[in-house]
Amino acid sequence: GFLEIPNLAAFMAGMNAVSALLTLIKPEFPAQLVLEPLLLRSGQVWRALTFVFVPPELSPLWLFFWLILYFSYLNSLERAWGDFKLTLYVLIGALATAAASLATSLPLGSGAFVTSLFLAFAKNYPETQILLFFVIPIKMKWLGAAVWFMTAWALLFGGFDERVALGAGLLNYALYFGPEHLSELKRLWRRHRYRP
């Protein structure tokens, strides 16, 4: 447990908020944090982790709502898993993305990493309901299924950089939930195979 970071959900959401605020003041600020393999190789090792603090490019209002959602599912994972398990999940996703960036010399973003956090939340809380566009009630299991469909589409038909980013960014999800999904697939296969 020496790796655990207490209140990681609040820290990550807070760092994204600070980064967004500094970007409004100084638009070139994110360039100091992004995952740029050449700069990473030259000794700027902080980029292996700080790229996850760069929020998506959204209008201030939508970014505010994104930050609330981001904190809520990180906080829920923290409550469900504890500090150590969440810290390990975050580190695996971030460092796998950094390693893939170094190996391929591609400047990868945090999109796949954020997707892995969302999918973990949807897997842990499938019955949780949110209001999509503040109007349409929808359960997380259906949103998770939609994200999986878009992810599979990107893996099948996306470019090389998109596939690398998704493969690395979702490694943490595969390690945490892969065995469970394999067991589910085996059960479905057996049921289908021996169905009268």
Side-chain angles (χ1 to χ4, degrees):
F2 72 95
L3 282 175
E4 72 180 34
I5 300 173
N7 302 312
L8 183 59
F11 175 73
M12 289 184 66
M15 289 301 287
N16 272 268
V18 168
S19 178
L21 189 61
L22 288 173
T23 302
L24 286 173
I25 300 166
K26 195 175 180 182
E28 65 274 16
F29 173 73
Q32 304 300 315
L33 308 177
V34 294
L35 188 52
E36 181 58 59
L38 291 175
L39 296 174
L40 194 57
R41 284 193 194 100
S42 71
Q44 296 183 15
V45 291
W46 65 83
R47 293 175 183 274
L49 294 174
T50 58
F51 75 98
V52 302
F53 301 140
V54 180
E57 292 181 12
L58 299 168
S59 69
L61 180 63
W62 283 109
L63 185 60
F64 174 75
F65 289 121
W66 180 85
L67 284 167
I68 290 172
L69 185 62
Y70 187 63
F71 171 73
S72 67
Y73 60 69
L74 273 169
N75 192 47
S76 298
L77 288 174
E78 195 169 48
R79 285 200 312 269
W81 288 346
D83 294 332
F84 173 69
K85 197 171 177 182
L86 178 62
T87 302
L88 197 59
Y89 190 85
V90 166
L91 283 175
I92 292 168
L95 294 178
T97 303
S101 179
L102 280 172
T104 59
S105 296
L106 291 169
L108 303 176
S110 63
F113 168 79
V114 172
T115 299
S116 78
L117 294 170
F118 173 80
L119 290 173
F121 174 72
K123 176 70 176 154
N124 276 303
Y125 298 95
E127 299 302 317
T128 298
Q129 188 170 280
I130 65 166
L131 290 177
L132 190 64
F133 304 116
F134 311 107
V135 177
I136 307 164
I138 187 167
K139 289 186 175 178
M140 290 306 301
K141 62 183 175 184
W142 302 120
L143 274 179
V147 170
W148 271 121
F149 175 79
M150 290 186 289
T151 301
W153 185 271
L155 284 170
L156 289 171
F157 304 108
F160 176 71
D161 53 344
E162 200 169 8
R163 291 175 183 172
V164 168
L166 285 169
L170 294 174
L171 178 65
N172 50 6
Y173 185 93
L175 291 173
Y176 273 54
F177 298 103
E180 186 180 341
H181 284 309
L182 281 175
S183 297
E184 289 169 359
L185 287 172
K186 285 176 185 175
R187 278 198 303 272
L188 285 171
W189 171 250
R190 281 197 296 268
R191 200 178 310 156
H192 173 72
R193 190 176 175 187
Y194 298 112
R195 188 173 57 189

